[in-house]
Amino acid sequence: MKIAYIPEDAPFNEDQRAWLAGFLAGLHSRIAMNVASPPAAVADTSAPRPPLRVLYGTQTGNAEGVANDVVAAAKAQGFDATVSGLDEIALDQFAGLKYVLIVTSTYGEGEMPDNAELFWEALSSDMAPRLGGVAYGVLALGDTGYDGFCQAGKLIDTRLEQLGAHRVIGRADCDIDYETQAAEWVRSAVGTLVTLAGASGTPGTPPPSTVARSGWTRKNPFPAQVPVNRVLSGPGSGKEIRHYEFALADSGIHYEAGDALAVFPENDPALVEAIAEHFRVSPDTLVDGEPLGELLGHRYEISTPSKDLLSEVEHRAENEELSHVVRGGVKDVLDRWLYGKDILDILRIGGDTLSLEEFVGLLKPLVHRAYSISSSSLAHPERIHLTVAGVRYHNAGRERGGVCSTFLADRCAGAKIFLQPNKSFRVPADDVPMIMVGPGTGIAPFRAFLQEREQRGAGGRNWLFFGDQHREHDFIYSDELTGWHEAGLLDRLDLAFSRDQAEKIYVQTRMLEHGADLYAWLQDGGHFYVCGDATRMAKDVDKALHQIVATHGGLSAEDADEYVNSLKREKRYVRDVY
């Protein structure tokens, strides 16, 4: 029997050559054993199961769900498969793994999800070790509506290769409708590893289906009634914040404090009518066999223009201003130009350059919007509460608004919903101190947390930082919060209303004012939670936290960074930001 060898002129580096040599030697050994003795009629179930580590980076739970699907498929194929978040493994441990599959989403504009930040920081460091013994594959989840589509997965995949790890299956970059593509990648990845690792399964066997973790999913949402829709903000507020309650009826949906609820919106009928008028047709006009009004009202996104639509209109319109911002390639410039504009504005720039059929073909699907749940199932088992800020503005002679927030406020007696669990954002053990920072609608999950602790009779201390613009008009849930404070459930309530005095005061201002106490709570094992705006508030709060740790812990900037990183690794500093 000939032994396979690697030619000297083969295009492999030293690490790759060593790995392939080991693989071929193992393969030859297996073939020789099969030739020497025919296979037994019954599989040897006592044979060792090759280990497989499945790691995920997630912000909303989708990547974690797919990672669990990978584990189920791998176990069915004879692997000893385990799953954990990317931040739960040190890089030196990672370097000692043999087979690894990574599933990660991308957060914001191309950023790592929170539970992948520390892993990426170590992986991208100049001090990162060589990973020549690691065989890996990466599945990336993303949204083509963002410039950094699947960027987190792309970065991890490329860096692993740079460090000598061996890609055994090509990366798949999945858009919002990820289920089918992800399932195919799982099948291919596990099948490839069956052959490579000598697992007992059969390559190509379809993985067990674990996608439908409940009866109601994105593909099969529950039609919920919305019996409560009330305004929380005062008449003098510059915002419109509303409280909604979704009746779960006999759906069987069970949620936990910290989860999110996904809501499918419907588009504004006035905008649907205006787009039909632009094309000089009726909403009843059929496009590919379906009424235009149905497509624009329920099927496609008609507020934010897709990149394809922008590019096509720019190509045809010969509009100097549009060409400048589209072809310039500067994201901030394009974003500023697009601010306040919708698809109808873009169509009017293009005039009659697009046919109706071409236009519809350039639209993206209308997708769900996810909101942090603001109730506890222990207090409200039959309903889910949401706290949502309405978006309304006037531009270019038309009244406009947020797609889902105005649907809920103005036109929603019922909506299609499904649950998005967030296992990383949970109420801590009953005796653990809890510090919550949630200005504006960021209060939502912490209202749920406090309801949870009240129902459980938890003895752990609770501290809330809340704020907005004006106390008189923007102190939402004020009766509940002050009532909890007076009753002793909420040990500390620090408020920051930025416009009630000449110098603006924010939640991070209050944190710094009480830095010594906050640090003491952390030293006592406290958990630190943040919910709300990711672009400014969450970054300012993070900066304040580092400053507090350095000042009151007597630490250098580097040691303060490590202290905060240890909070993240221990799941004591978690965020729900958007």
Side-chain angles (χ1 to χ4, degrees):
M1 181 191 309
K2 291 185 178 180
I3 300 176
Y5 72 97
I6 306 171
E8 290 297 324
D9 60 349
F12 301 120
N13 61 35
E14 184 177 342
D15 285 332
Q16 291 170 329
R17 186 178 293 276
W19 184 86
L20 283 169
F23 168 63
L24 292 172
L27 183 61
H28 175 263
S29 175
R30 289 182 66 204
I31 293 173
M33 290 175 63
N34 287 337
V35 171
S37 57
V42 179
D44 181 7
T45 57
S46 65
R49 296 164 65 87
L52 171 64
R53 189 66 174 268
V54 182
L55 300 168
Y56 62 87
T58 189
Q59 199 73 26
T60 62
N62 288 337
E64 182 180 4
V66 176
N68 286 324
D69 292 345
V70 176
V71 169
K75 286 182 175 179
Q77 294 292 304
F79 284 93
D80 178 15
T82 57
V83 63
S84 62
L86 279 164
D87 61 353
E88 296 177 44
I89 187 168
L91 198 54
D92 57 347
Q93 294 175 298
F94 184 90
L97 300 177
K98 192 170 184 180
Y99 305 112
V100 183
L101 295 177
I102 296 174
V103 184
T104 184
S105 63
T106 294
Y107 167 68
E109 294 289 350
E111 300 170 31
M112 292 288 161
D114 280 357
N115 78 324
E117 282 184 347
L118 296 179
F119 177 82
W120 173 244
E121 183 179 310
L123 190 70
S124 58
S125 167
D126 292 338
M127 304 299 292
R130 298 292 295 173
L131 301 174
V134 178
Y136 78 96
V138 174
L139 175 67
L141 305 184
D143 180 350
T144 51
Y146 292 91
D147 286 343
F149 172 62
C150 287
Q151 185 67 11
K154 293 174 182 177
L155 288 172
I156 291 174
D157 183 40
T158 300
R159 182 57 175 162
L160 289 175
E161 182 182 43
Q162 290 172 345
L163 293 173
H166 308 284
R167 186 187 297 111
V168 296
I169 182 170
R171 187 189 71 248
D173 297 332
C174 303
D175 203 353
I176 293 172
D177 290 322
Y178 63 87
E179 286 91 347
T180 300
Q181 187 180 1
E184 175 59 27
W185 185 91
V186 171
R187 184 196 65 77
S188 298
V190 173
T192 298
L193 288 176
V194 165
T195 301
L196 191 62
S200 61
T202 303
T205 301
S209 176
T210 59
V211 172
R213 279 165 282 275
S214 72
W216 307 107
T217 64
R218 185 170 63 85
K219 296 291 188 180
N220 181 39
F222 173 68
Q225 295 300 304
V226 184
V228 176
N229 169 0
R230 72 170 186 268
V231 178
L232 295 173
S233 46
S237 175
K239 304 179 179 182
E240 179 190 315
I241 300 178
R242 290 176 179 258
H243 172 93
Y244 301 97
E245 297 183 13
F246 293 75
L248 300 179
D250 58 352
S251 66
I253 294 175
H254 174 74
Y255 67 99
E256 295 186 47
D259 287 342
L261 185 71
V263 180
F264 281 97
E266 297 175 9
N267 285 316
D268 183 357
L271 181 56
V272 171
E273 183 70 33
I275 291 175
E277 288 178 1
H278 171 82
F279 286 100
R280 295 184 288 278
V281 298
S282 162
D284 296 329
T285 301
L286 297 182
V287 179
D288 292 331
E290 294 191 63
L292 177 64
E294 175 64 23
L295 294 175
L296 299 186
H298 302 90
R299 188 78 59 81
Y300 293 114
E301 174 67 58
I302 61 172
S303 181
T304 304
S306 69
K307 295 177 185 176
D308 290 342
L309 178 62
L310 275 174
S311 296
E312 194 61 34
V313 171
E314 184 278 324
H315 176 70
R316 302 186 187 197
E318 298 183 357
N319 181 283
E320 184 176 347
E321 182 180 8
L322 179 59
S323 295
H324 173 73
V325 296
V326 170
R327 296 185 185 182
V330 180
K331 181 181 181 303
D332 288 345
V333 173
L334 178 60
D335 287 347
R336 285 196 298 271
W337 185 83
L338 282 173
Y339 185 78
K341 295 183 176 67
D342 59 21
I343 281 178
L344 182 57
D345 296 310
I346 305 304
L347 285 174
R348 287 174 173 172
I349 290 174
D352 294 328
T353 57
L354 286 178
S355 71
L356 178 60
E357 290 75 14
E358 289 172 328
F359 164 69
V360 172
L362 293 168
L363 297 178
K364 285 180 63 70
L366 180 62
V367 298
H368 63 269
R369 272 59 169 173
Y371 299 98
S372 302
I373 293 175
S374 57
S375 57
S376 163
S377 62
L378 297 182
H380 301 280
E382 297 180 353
R383 291 189 179 185
I384 287 178
H385 298 183
L386 294 186
T387 308
V388 180
V391 177
R392 300 182 193 274
Y393 59 99
H394 184 88
N395 189 39
R398 288 194 289 126
E399 296 297 330
R400 310 170 187 228
V403 176
C404 196
S405 65
T406 55
F407 163 66
L408 288 173
D410 301 341
R411 306 184 302 278
C412 176
K416 296 178 181 178
I417 63 170
F418 66 97
L419 194 66
Q420 286 193 325
N422 188 352
K423 295 179 182 178
S424 64
F425 204 80
R426 289 285 186 254
V427 182
D430 286 355
D431 59 344
V432 172
M434 183 169 66
I435 305 164
M436 302 159 285
V437 183
T441 55
I443 188 63
F446 304 135
R447 178 176 182 261
F449 279 21
L450 290 167
Q451 286 183 0
E452 185 96 353
R453 284 207 146 174
E454 182 178 43
Q455 292 295 314
R456 283 168 25 181
R461 291 173 291 162
N462 303 305
W463 186 351
L464 174 66
F465 291 90
F466 172 79
D468 210 311
Q469 293 185 351
H470 300 283
R471 178 169 184 144
E472 182 180 356
H473 303 292
D474 301 311
F475 191 1
I476 60 174
Y477 298 121
S478 58
D479 291 344
E480 290 182 24
L481 296 178
T482 54
W484 279 327
H485 189 210
E486 292 168 0
L489 174 68
L490 193 50
D491 297 82
R492 299 191 61 158
L493 175 61
D494 282 289
L495 304 172
F497 294 100
S498 60
R499 307 301 198 273
D500 280 350
Q501 60 284 311
E503 183 178 353
K504 292 180 181 178
I505 295 175
Y506 299 105
V507 286
Q508 62 268 23
T509 312
R510 297 302 190 206
M511 286 173 55
L512 292 168
E513 289 174 354
H514 303 291
D517 290 341
L518 196 155
Y519 181 72
W521 279 47
L522 293 176
Q523 287 292 91
D524 287 342
H527 286 221
F528 186 78
Y529 298 87
V530 183
C531 181
D533 170 52
T535 56
R536 297 186 61 181
M537 182 278 294
K539 293 178 181 178
D540 290 339
V541 165
D542 184 75
K543 181 179 177 181
L545 179 62
H546 280 77
Q547 184 177 336
I548 288 168
V549 168
T551 300
H552 300 284
L555 303 177
S556 66
E558 293 77 13
D559 288 341
D561 287 345
E562 179 52 34
Y563 184 100
V564 173
N565 286 342
S566 70
L567 294 178
K568 293 178 180 178
R569 282 190 290 269
E570 296 165 9
K571 301 295 190 295
R572 292 174 52 206
Y573 175 17
V574 292
R575 309 188 309 167
D576 177 10
V577 295
Y578 37 84

